[in-house]
Amino acid sequence: MYIEQAYKGLIDSWRYILGIVGIVIVWQFLGAFPLLAALATKEGGMSAMMSGNITEMSNVLGSNTFLFFMLLTFVFGLIAVFLVVKFIHKQSLKSLTTSRKKIDWKRVSFSFILWSTISVAFIFLDIYLSPEDYEFNFQLVPFLVLAVIAIAMIPLQTSMEEYLMRGYMMQGLGIITKNRWFPLLFTSLLFGMLHIMNPEVDKLGYGILIFYIGTGLFLGIITLMDEGLELALGFHAANNLTAALLVTADWTAFSVDSLYRDVSEPVLGWDMLVPVFVVFPILLLVFSKKYGWTNWKNKLTGKVLSKEEFFKLENLDNG
């Protein structure tokens, strides 16, 4: 009963409206101020800022510096989510995270290790099969700086997205609509649309949104089926961290000092679609076997319990 955990706080609709507005202001405006201030001190920074082009801003500041300030906006956003939940909704971080008695860090680590292993295997398999598409990009000092920034901040960035999308919004929309399918689909579509300004979309076209929306749908499914955010938190952190450290390209959001550089002509190919239509379904099977998932239809499309029904069941469980 993950969505119903919101009943442990205050659930008035106006609180969710106020909360979303507050999170967006802190994340997109206050969080962006350090980046804008840094750009303003550099030659060409103002024009890059006005263009809104990620590549131009990265060139002005340097890739690692730009990455730091870009990820810092998500740190502001994560703090905003936690403050909104604590002070506007009077809800605990635990109930925003999971329906279990306590946060299951073993689930986070299992998901992280599993997807890291698969991602690394896919990357090096592609390098082996198409060596002409990659060049070794390793430079010790820039890579070490990248590693420190990425390891410290990318999990915060991905956690912010999970706590906002699969946490705060999933619970809020579920409570308001009294069903599970709408928050699942809405947050998946919104997750994809939030990536529409990424450089990858400009290079590969809107077809790449299938990958982003599909990833959002996968993360939503594992959240609802597992009754908590733990698997999604581990998966998302692993996905972005391996991407940042291992392979970069001039046309990606993470154009940084990674181990390898993809120098191929960007095309929307099978490698973008296989995860959504092949790998993610296999992962759902793996997770379902490991954690004993059942009753898929009700958990993904069924109704959300009323507040009275939820607390009645919870009291029976505690009894």
Side-chain angles (χ1 to χ4, degrees), residues 128-148:
Y128 175 77
L129 294 175
S130 306
E132 69 280 1
D133 290 342
Y134 298 89
E135 61 180 30
F136 193 57
N137 190 54
F138 178 71
Q139 300 177 69
L140 180 60
V141 174
F143 181 79
L144 289 177
V145 174
L146 167 65
V148 170

Side-chain angles (χ1 to χ4, degrees), residues 9 19-20 27 54 84 94 127 152 191 217:
I20 288 295
W27 173 28
I54 290 177
V84 163
K94 194 275 289 183
I127 292 172
F191 182 75
L217 183 62

